[in-house]
Every structure is written in C-alpha cells, then in structure tokens.
Amino acid sequence: MLTFAILIPLLASLVLAFVPLGEVASRWTATGAAALSLVALVIVWAGGGDGFRAVAEVPWIPTLGIAWRVGVDGMSLALALMSALIFVAATAWPLKLHDARAYYAWMAFLAGVSIGLFVTLDLIVFYVFFDLSLVGMYFLIGRWGHGDAQHAALKFFVYTLAGSLLILIGIIVLALNMPTLTFDMRAMIDSPPLAAAGMVPGLVFLAFVIGFGIKTPVFPVHTWLPPAHVNAPGPASAILAGVLLKMGTYGLIRIPLQMMPDTFARWALPLAIVGVISILWGSIVAFAQDNLKRRIAYTSVNHMGYTVLGIAVAGSALGSETARQLAMTGAVVEMIAHGLITGALFLIAGAVWQRTGDYHLPNFGGLAGPAPRLTGAATLAAFASLGLPGLAGFVAELHIFLGAFGVYPWLAAIGLLGILITAALFLRMLRQMFFGDLPKERAGFTDLDRTETALLAGVLILVVLIGIWPTWLLSLIDAASLIPTPGAGG
C-alpha cells in the first residue's frame, strides 16, 4: 500500500508529461492521484499495528546495503496523511495557469516524492526523495510564480541543496560506522552507530542540524523562505509550508534524535535556544510586514521554532520522561497543525492574489462585506495559528510548553512571549483586510467560489477536530515510541 501511495502520483506525473490532456483533465488527473495516495494511507492507518507497520523491502544495491524499504510508525503515517490531504487541496485549487499540464505534472511528481520521504525506511532513498522535492518546488516557483520568481526559486534551491549535502555527509558517516554497511533506518535506531564522545559525533550532529535547520527553517538560515513564499503561486506556497518544511523537523527526529540519542542529549540545550530565538524572531519580524504572504511566511519560522523547541526538550537528558514525551507529542502535533493551518492561510492568500494581484495589506479593508466566506475561513485559520483553545494549534503548543517547563523552564517562559506577538500580528492582519471601509478599487471583489470553499472547509474541519477531540491523533503518534532510551549510544 505504501509503495502504491508513492507510485500513483509519480505515474500520474509521467502521464501528464507525455499525454496531451487539457487543463481540466490535467487538474483532475493530478488531484485524483493525490486522493488515491490518501486513500491508500488511510487503509494503512485502519490496519493498525505497533512500531513500524506495512513494511516492504526489495533489494536495490545490495553491495551497499541500499534497498527499497518502506514502512511507517505513528509519526511518519500522520505526516504522510497530512501531506496527501494538503496535496489534494492544493492540486484541486482553481488557478489561472499557462501550460497547465506541466504545472499539474510537477504537482503530482512533488506529491509522490514528498509522501515517499515520510514512508521510506532507507536513508539513501530518503536523501533521493529529499533532493527530488527541491526540483519539483523549484519549477513550481520559477515557472508559475510572480514577481521575482526565478530569483526566489534559485535562492530556495541553492540554500536547501547546500543543506542536503551536509545531510548526505552525515548519512554516509552513520552508515560507515555500522557493524555491517547498511542504510536501514530501523537498524540504526536499534543500534546507534556512533559513540557520544569525541569530535566526529559532534560534527555529524552539527551537519544534520544545519541541513535540516535550513529546510525547517530556523534562524538564522531562514532567509530563503520569505521570497520563495511571496513569489510562489498560492497552492505551491501551501505545499511548501504545509509539507516541505516538515521534512526538516521530521528529519531531526528520525535521524539525529533517534540514531544519535546521546549526542543529541549533549547538544539539546543549544538547539532549544535556537528554537526559542526562531519563535521570537519569526513573530517579531512577521508583525512588521505589510505584505500578506511575507507575514504568513515569517509566522512559519515562528511556529517551526515551537516544533524545534519540543524536539530539543524531547531529546534532552533532563527532566522527567513524562515531560519529554509531552514535548515530543507537541512537536509532532505542531507539525500536523501548522501544515493544515498555514496551508489554509496560503490558499487564502492565493485567492486574494487571484482576485487583486496584490498582497499589500494597507491596500485592503472591508472585505468582510463582499466576501463573508473568505472572511470566515481566514478568521478561523488565524485564530488557530495564534493558539486559540479548541483549535489544533492550542493542543500542540500546550504539550510543547508543558514539556518545556519540566526541562528548560526559563526557555519556556521566554518562548511564551512569541504567542502574545503572534496573536497581535494575526489580529492586526484581520483588521487590515476585513474590517473598516472597503477601498474603491476593491468594489468588485468576489467571495470564495464553491470549489475553494469546499477545499478550505475540508482542511479547516480537521483543525477544529484536532482542537476539540485530539485523542485519535495523539494515540496515532505514540510519542513514547519515538524517544530512544538514554545511554543507547550515538
């Protein structure tokens, strides 16, 4: 089933590349492929199981210990499900396009490699999918973006490719230190290959943190993100924020935390400090932005900072096991919540651009009158992003801060300031866009159509469901299984 979930979008991208389909047929081919992947992942979820499930393995390069290995635990299955849902919404989102068939071919390609990254159990295949995701997003931004799209796409590609090379170096060192050469994630998690002491483990850990930190992104390696978002089409921004950024934090958990637990524990405090700096920096800079997309982009730095803080707390050797498990649960829920919420916000920003060709917030106001559905969706997404109780963001941040106060209480207290600033920036955004007088040039502004409304509703219903009844997601994640036993090595 997992191989099916990867291959169906990739096959759809080949069909779209070579079969001359029209725009509508291309759109629904790519959407249907993403939907079939989602169905396959739901079937895996319904099958239940503990640890890695739905495992399949086919040798690829036996002399190097490389194989087509797929399987999911609760964390990777939750992220794959969320990714497939975001791809369904983003691909089906109505958009005015040139060369629509190529656009949807790249969307389907990106869906396949993104899902593949979360379900593979081989580090080389993980790296291949990581790099292929850069290629897909590069073309979506560069060919179908606006403004200085080509420069933004180049900056995105160069930054994240540099990070991926550091990740590759770390992967090679881990594999060479295994008793038998292998890139099997399960083997490295069960028997961490590097001792905690010495310079080499510290350098490998630093390579992973920088590589995945660029992808996440965290301060100060975040500067590629705002131009990529501002110049990308709305659905591509939804995928970039909702799916691709999660590859960074997923990688931090899966590789350095689980495969180098003792080294991670040694450096958990500096990583937690980076997370808190990202929380504050992202929120403060976002508050100062007058560009709608740039504001949302910087809130991603803020929210991914929460995730990094939770991961650092989970991997520390301090505090109680309960506190670390709470932090890990919060980090994974934050990835899911941020993917859904910020994905919805970027789709909303895309709808605004389609109607006005403008993101400058002072040029708006009074849209609540002509666009009540857009106003409702934006308000719900904004309140979810600022952490309002009863919505998904609150569940994630509550777990993170409960865990953080049990391990690094002074960092947790500082990080709470980010929530206050985030609330202020989203309330200010809602006031600027939807309240007050409607400018004359916005007199013809139209509300969301039925397709846009249905797609946003599908995403935001989950945001509400996680907020009021999170048990199903928390039991799926099973944070206790993600935290390695102290002293396991690495």
Side-chain angles (χ1 to χ4, degrees):
M1 270 299 169
L2 295 177
T3 299
F4 177 85
I6 300 168
L7 293 182
I8 286 298
L10 294 179
L11 290 173
S13 72
L14 286 175
V15 170
L16 290 165
F18 295 107
V19 178
L21 300 176
E23 180 172 347
V24 174
S26 298
R27 176 182 166 197
W28 290 113
T29 298
T31 303
L36 286 174
S37 292
L38 178 60
V39 170
L41 292 166
V42 170
I43 291 171
V44 172
W45 181 18
D50 297 320
F52 289 106
R53 67 200 80 164
V55 174
E57 183 171 343
V58 178
W60 182 23
I61 311 177
T63 54
L64 297 179
I66 301 172
W68 175 264
R69 301 180 176 99
V70 293
V72 289
D73 59 3
M75 173 181 66
S76 55
L77 179 56
L79 287 167
L81 285 163
M82 182 271 294
S83 299
L85 178 63
I86 294 296
F87 270 103
V88 170
T91 307
W93 191 261
L95 205 61
K96 298 173 185 176
L97 293 166
H98 62 87
D99 198 4
R101 184 163 61 93
Y103 171 86
Y104 289 113
W106 282 115
M107 290 286 276
F109 173 83
L110 191 54
V113 300
S114 299
I115 293 169
L117 181 140
F118 291 121
V119 305
T120 185
L121 293 176
D122 188 282
L123 283 175
I124 291 297
V125 179
F126 172 92
Y127 176 77
V128 169
F129 283 139
F130 191 95
D131 271 8
L132 290 179
S133 72
L134 311 184
V135 177
M137 185 54 67
Y138 170 80
F139 282 105
L140 287 173
I141 297 172
R143 288 193 63 187
W144 291 279
H146 39 260
D148 197 5
Q150 293 186 6
H151 179 266
L154 178 63
K155 188 172 184 179
F156 156 78
F157 192 88
V158 170
Y159 257 75
T160 45
L161 180 63
S164 77
L165 293 176
L166 291 174
I167 293 167
L168 178 61
I169 292 170
I171 288 172
I172 291 171
V173 174
L174 289 180
L176 291 176
N177 281 273
M178 290 293 289
T180 303
L181 182 62
T182 182
F183 292 90
D184 190 334
M185 291 183 181
R186 295 163 297 175
M188 293 188 186
I189 292 170
D190 291 339
S191 302
L194 287 175
M199 181 181 294
V200 172
L203 291 175
V204 172
F205 177 79
L206 182 63
F208 282 129
V209 167
I210 294 174
F212 289 126
I214 291 171
K215 188 74 167 184
T216 298
V218 294
F219 178 88
V221 289
H222 65 285
T223 56
W224 63 267
L225 183 67
H229 272 312
V230 169
N231 296 296
S237 284
I239 291 167
L240 177 58
V243 180
L244 267 63
L245 302 191
K246 310 306 172 292
M247 296 176 182
T249 44
Y250 170 75
L252 278 175
I253 296 172
R254 184 64 82 210
I255 302 180
L257 191 148
Q258 291 193 308
M259 299 179 191
M260 306 174 65
D262 290 347
T263 303
F264 193 103
R266 286 173 56 204
W267 296 101
L269 177 57
L271 184 61
I273 292 171
V274 169
V276 171
I277 292 172
S278 299
I279 290 170
L280 297 178
W281 178 264
S283 59
I284 292 169
V285 177
F287 185 85
Q289 303 304 310
D290 281 331
N291 181 292
L292 172 62
K293 255 194 166 186
R294 190 173 287 271
R295 179 172 293 191
I296 300 170
Y298 274 109
T299 65
S300 289
V301 179
N302 162 259
H303 284 88
M304 298 312 288
Y306 294 130
T307 306
V308 171
L309 174 61
I311 294 169
V313 170
S316 72
L318 304 175
S320 66
E321 183 179 351
T322 300
R324 295 196 298 273
Q325 288 182 11
L326 284 172
M328 177 61 80
T329 299
V332 180
V333 175
E334 181 70 35
M335 286 191 267
I336 304 299
H338 179 265
L340 297 171
I341 296 165
T342 309
L345 284 169
F346 277 120
L347 290 177
I348 290 166
V352 172
W353 176 266
Q354 285 281 97
R355 289 156 173 79
T356 65
D358 191 6
Y359 291 129
H360 192 54
L361 288 169
N363 293 342
F364 291 92
L367 295 184
R373 290 192 294 273
L374 178 67
T375 303
T379 301
L380 178 58
F383 276 106
S385 193
L386 63 85
L388 186 73
L391 300 173
F394 175 77
V395 176
E397 289 162 19
L398 180 63
H399 280 83
I400 290 170
F401 281 105
L402 282 173
F405 270 109
V407 177
Y408 302 125
W410 54 279
L411 276 179
I414 296 171
L416 281 174
L417 295 173
I419 296 178
L420 181 63
I421 302 169
T422 303
L425 72 90
F426 273 113
L427 292 174
R428 183 169 177 241
M429 182 193 79
L430 293 175
R431 178 180 59 80
Q432 288 177 291
M433 289 195 66
F434 299 107
F435 304 110
D437 297 326
L438 183 70
K440 292 181 180 179
E441 59 269 23
R442 304 294 178 229
F445 192 93
T446 56
D447 203 357
L448 297 173
D449 63 26
R450 285 182 294 180
T451 301
E452 293 168 326
T453 302
L455 293 172
L456 281 174
V459 174
L460 292 174
I461 284 171
L462 272 178
V463 172
V464 176
L465 180 62
I466 294 170
I468 61 176
W469 186 52
T471 304
W472 61 276
L473 179 58
L474 302 180
S475 60
L476 170 62
I477 292 169
D478 186 20
S481 66
L482 299 174
I483 301 177
T485 304

